[in-house]
Amino acid sequence: MSQRPEGIDLAARSRARRRALQALYAWQLSGSHMNAVIDQFRHEQDMEVADLEYFEDLLHGVEKHVDELDDALKPYVDREVGQIDPIERAALRLAAYELKYRPDVPYRVIINEAIEVTKRFGADHGHSYVNGVLDKLAGALRSVEKKG
């Protein structure tokens, strides 16, 4: 088990990822501005138990880098990113963002969290697909960490 970084509530961060998956799913389907989606989630969801700063970082990060993240995923998926189940696509984009832009988070944590949220919200075997794609992506983006 990795050490808990000082001042970070890992359970609140996990809840932030769950909420971010739901918000990203809503963003993908609605085409709304990300700020509107974030505001909606602030009012509708139980956000006081989540790491709100991390939640917003994930969503703004995915929004800002979505094309780049999709390009990073392309070699490891079996269809166009836009054709992937929306829950799986949201989980892949969130994890790709963390793998690329949040080196402070261990890749194993990122992959495990993506698998768990996909198990909770996605199709029956969606988590297996997400795991396979992210394992390959982590090899590309975090090769030094993955070897160690």
Side-chain angles (χ1 to χ4, degrees):
M1 186 93 184
S2 60
Q3 288 184 346
R4 178 181 297 237
E6 203 57 43
I8 294 176
D9 181 339
L10 298 180
R13 210 172 245 193
S14 185
R15 286 187 292 272
R17 285 186 188 92
R18 268 199 315 273
R19 300 289 192 266
L21 176 89
Q22 294 170 301
L24 188 54
Y25 174 83
W27 175 72
Q28 290 173 160
L29 293 181
S30 70
S32 299
H33 287 105
M34 188 62 81
N35 285 335
V37 173
I38 290 171
D39 287 344
Q40 177 184 351
F41 267 73
R42 267 199 209 121
H43 295 299
E44 292 181 8
Q45 299 290 328
D46 190 18
M47 291 305 295
E48 66 269 7
V49 296
D51 182 333
L52 187 58
E53 186 178 314
Y54 201 71
F55 168 80
E56 291 187 13
D57 177 70
L58 291 172
L59 293 174
H60 286 301
V62 169
E63 179 186 39
K64 180 178 179 182
H65 300 287
V66 69
D67 292 334
E68 180 185 332
L69 299 172
D70 288 355
D71 285 344
L73 290 164
K74 277 181 190 173
Y76 311 110
V77 296
D78 58 355
R79 62 202 105 144
E80 290 297 319
V81 174
Q83 299 301 312
I84 296 171
D85 172 84
I87 290 290
E88 293 166 17
R89 184 176 355 131
L92 289 170
R93 284 173 167 170
L94 284 172
Y97 171 74
E98 284 188 286
L99 286 168
K100 189 162 177 89
Y101 293 102
R102 296 300 306 234
D104 56 309
V105 181
Y107 83 93
R108 290 175 198 259
V109 170
I110 296 167
I111 292 174
N112 185 58
E113 291 274 331
I115 291 167
E116 291 305 313
V117 296
T118 307
K119 279 182 184 176
R120 182 169 179 176
F121 298 109
D124 284 344
H125 299 287
H127 67 281
S128 297
Y129 181 74
V130 166
N131 184 30
V133 171
L134 292 179
D135 190 55
K136 292 172 191 157
L137 183 63
L141 296 178
R142 300 277 189 100
S143 59
V144 171
E145 180 185 355
K146 206 164 181 228
K147 286 178 190 168

